[in-house]
Amino acid sequence: MSTGELVNNADRENRRKASSGKKKKIITFKGTPIFISGGFSIPFMIIVFALLTIGLIMMFSASYVTAKYENGDSMFYIKRQLVFAVGGIFLMFFVSKLNPELLKKLTVPIFVICLLLLVVVLIKPWRPEGMSEDFKRWLRIPGIGSFQPSDIAKLGIIMFFAWAIDKYKTLLENKWWAALVLFGITAALCLLIYMEKHLSCTILIFLICIGMMFLGGIDNRWFALGLAIGVPLVVTVIAFRHQILSEYQAARIDSFFVKDYDDIDTRWQTNQSLFALGSGGFFGLGLGNSKQKYLYMSEPQNDFIFAIVGEELGFVRCVLILLLFALLIFVGFMIADKSRSLYNRLLVLGIMLHIGLQTILNILVVTDMMPNTGISLPFFSYGGTALVMQLIEMGIVLSVSRTVSEKAKVI
């Protein structure tokens, strides 16, 4: 049953309950039922919990040495991550009960809030101690902590593109300039995030937007034109990186092409990652037995946590973890395929693109197949806002999975 049918049945459900003597009425927001019942995808939920559990274990293993050295408490990072994980799980189940049609109605306000956050962080950013003034990625709420607006914006952008493609599908199919508007919005969003000095997130947002437009049925000629323009542009940026990019970004590209580049600010972390992966071999050194996390690799609990996973668990178990990610994406795509609502379908596809692309980019960086851009591994890397938002996204997928059930109904 589609969400549209659920909304149309809301009044009938209220009348049925009234006629049966029940006083309980369906809770609505501007005529749209807020909650939905029916079974969600159990396989999807199991995979999410498997990845989250493994991620928390590995985050603790990768972080306790650095936590003890920097904060005097080896449990510092895992305690904070567990709080966010528990809160994220609660939000995941709460969101899984929300009617996707309600999310559709809230899309534009949510997107506007995300845009405002991306602008505010450029005007009044908060920076961790020792961080260069060029970086404008964080906002801080007194008494609560810091967060990256870009982590929240990822979901807002996915929701907006699903809404826009659904609402203006006919226009996009018949007017050539309509697709150009979406490409322009993509460029504007990427520019905002690039101004934060957050290249990895810029690349990720660009790929998500392009991927959603492609899956949404935008004319393929636009993508052919984009490739014809984009490839020479990327080659030009790389060739003239010292004239176009900031000094640290150019240095990271230098260190990618010149493997013996030994400046500790650029190549060091990548070298330690390769040492860790190589040391792990096929079966690993054993959980907790990493050597590179003993202050050889900076912040192993973040972007390069997969290197510690490879060192401790080995190649075979790393492959199994990647298969879990692949299975999560596959089940998510199956949920999207069963949905009869274009908005729901694109919403789930966008979320799965986010998780899949971010995982791929992280692995490419860790294995030195891509310049170090500072991108985290979903469910594994330390970061409260990112983890909570990822679990909220999983809740949205579970919510959509309820709508494909024959027993789905508004409550």
Side-chain angles (χ1 to χ4, degrees):
M1 184 182 295
S2 69
T3 52
E5 291 171 322
L6 290 171
V7 173
N8 292 333
N9 289 337
D11 289 336
R12 287 198 294 271
E13 186 71 11
N14 275 331
R15 289 196 296 270
R16 184 189 66 78
K17 288 186 177 182
S19 63
S20 64
K22 295 180 181 179
K23 295 183 179 180
K24 182 180 177 182
K25 289 188 175 182
I26 296 172
I27 304 172
T28 63
F29 174 79
K30 293 185 176 180
T32 301
I34 294 177
F35 298 107
I36 182 174
S37 69
F40 56 59
S41 173
I42 298 298
F44 188 86
M45 184 193 69
I46 291 173
I47 301 168
V48 169
F49 273 105
L51 286 169
L52 180 62
T53 302
I54 298 170
L56 289 171
I57 292 171
M58 292 311 307
M59 206 285 295
F60 172 60
S61 180
S63 69
Y64 67 81
V65 175
T66 302
K68 181 69 174 178
Y69 177 77
E70 293 182 350
N71 303 284
D73 179 9
S74 59
M75 303 286 288
F76 178 81
Y77 291 116
I78 188 61
K79 285 189 294 188
R80 294 167 65 88
Q81 193 79 341
L82 281 171
V83 170
F84 286 110
V86 172
I89 291 170
F90 171 80
L91 288 173
M92 178 180 74
F93 282 115
F94 175 77
V95 171
S96 77
K97 296 286 289 183
L98 294 179
N99 184 357
E101 194 68 20
L102 174 68
L103 297 177
K104 183 177 178 180
K105 283 197 171 183
L106 295 175
T107 290
V108 174
I110 289 173
F111 180 66
V112 170
I113 291 171
C114 291
L115 279 180
L116 290 174
L117 288 173
L118 291 176
V119 172
V120 170
V121 77
L122 294 174
I123 299 171
K124 196 174 179 61
W126 174 86
R127 299 179 186 86
E129 186 177 349
M131 183 63 67
S132 168
E133 291 188 2
D134 290 337
F135 292 88
K136 300 177 180 180
R137 301 182 185 180
W138 298 270
L139 288 175
R140 187 172 182 84
I141 301 176
I144 298 178
S146 61
F147 68 98
Q148 294 193 47
S150 57
D151 285 330
I152 300 173
K154 291 171 189 173
L155 177 56
I157 291 167
I158 290 168
M159 292 176 68
F160 175 78
F161 270 74
W163 172 85
I165 295 172
D166 174 50
K167 184 175 179 64
Y168 299 106
K169 183 171 178 59
T170 302
L171 191 64
L172 288 165
E173 290 174 343
N174 296 294
K175 301 294 183 180
W176 67 268
W177 52 265
L180 199 59
V181 172
L182 285 182
F183 282 106
I185 293 173
T186 300
L189 291 168
C190 290
L191 178 61
L192 276 176
I193 296 174
Y194 180 76
M195 289 169 67
E196 299 178 11
K197 300 298 181 185
H198 202 171
L199 181 59
S200 60
C201 188
T202 304
I203 295 171
L204 181 62
I205 292 298
F206 175 78
L207 292 175
I208 290 172
C209 293
I210 295 300
M212 291 189 69
M213 285 189 280
F214 178 78
L215 294 171
I218 301 298
D219 194 326
N220 289 337
R221 287 176 292 185
W222 281 110
F223 301 102
L225 178 62
L227 282 174
I229 297 173
V231 172
L233 183 61
V234 170
V235 171
T236 301
V237 170
I238 292 175
F240 298 96
R241 54 187 175 274
H242 291 284
Q243 290 76 32
I244 298 174
L245 301 176
S246 63
E247 184 179 349
Y248 93 94
Q249 291 172 337
R252 286 190 171 186
I253 295 176
D254 289 342
S255 69
F256 174 73
F257 287 112
V258 183
K259 302 302 183 183
D260 60 352
Y261 192 89
D262 61 356
D263 177 30
I264 64 171
D265 290 329
T266 51
R267 186 70 198 174
W268 175 267
Q269 196 174 31
T270 301
N271 286 340
Q272 299 308 311
S273 172
L274 295 177
F275 293 156
L277 291 170
S279 300
F282 275 96
F283 301 105
L285 302 178
L287 184 63
N289 292 332
S290 164
K291 295 179 175 61
Q292 301 307 122
K293 69 185 177 187
Y294 280 86
L295 308 183
Y296 290 101
M297 182 182 295
S298 59
E299 300 195 37
Q301 74 277 7
N302 285 332
D303 305 336
F304 280 78
I305 189 172
F306 195 73
I308 306 301
V309 175
E311 185 180 11
E312 295 189 352
L313 302 186
F315 175 78
V316 174
R317 294 184 183 91
C318 280
V319 170
L320 293 177
I321 290 171
L322 293 180
L323 287 176
L324 267 181
F325 274 109
L327 189 59
L328 180 78
I329 307 304
F330 176 77
V331 175
F333 271 58
M334 292 300 99
I335 292 171
D337 184 60
K338 292 177 182 177
S339 176
R340 284 174 280 177
S341 162
L342 180 59
Y343 174 81
N344 289 355
R345 187 180 308 123
L346 289 174
L347 185 60
V348 173
L349 289 175
I351 289 170
M352 292 297 97
L353 278 175
H354 168 210
I355 299 299
L357 288 170
Q358 189 163 325
T359 301
I360 291 170
L361 291 174
N362 177 271
I363 301 303
L364 291 176
V365 168
V366 169
T367 54
D368 197 25
M369 298 176 68
M370 175 179 168
N372 184 359
T373 57
I375 191 165
S376 60
L377 182 63
F379 306 113
F380 280 69
S381 294
Y382 175 72
T385 309
L387 181 61
V388 169
M389 293 307 300
Q390 287 156 14
L391 289 172
I392 288 175
E393 289 181 350
M394 298 304 99
I396 291 175
V397 177
L398 291 174
S399 172
V400 172
S401 76
R402 290 183 192 272
T403 67
V404 303
S405 168
E406 293 299 325
K407 297 182 179 179
K409 62 180 181 179
V410 292
I411 57 176

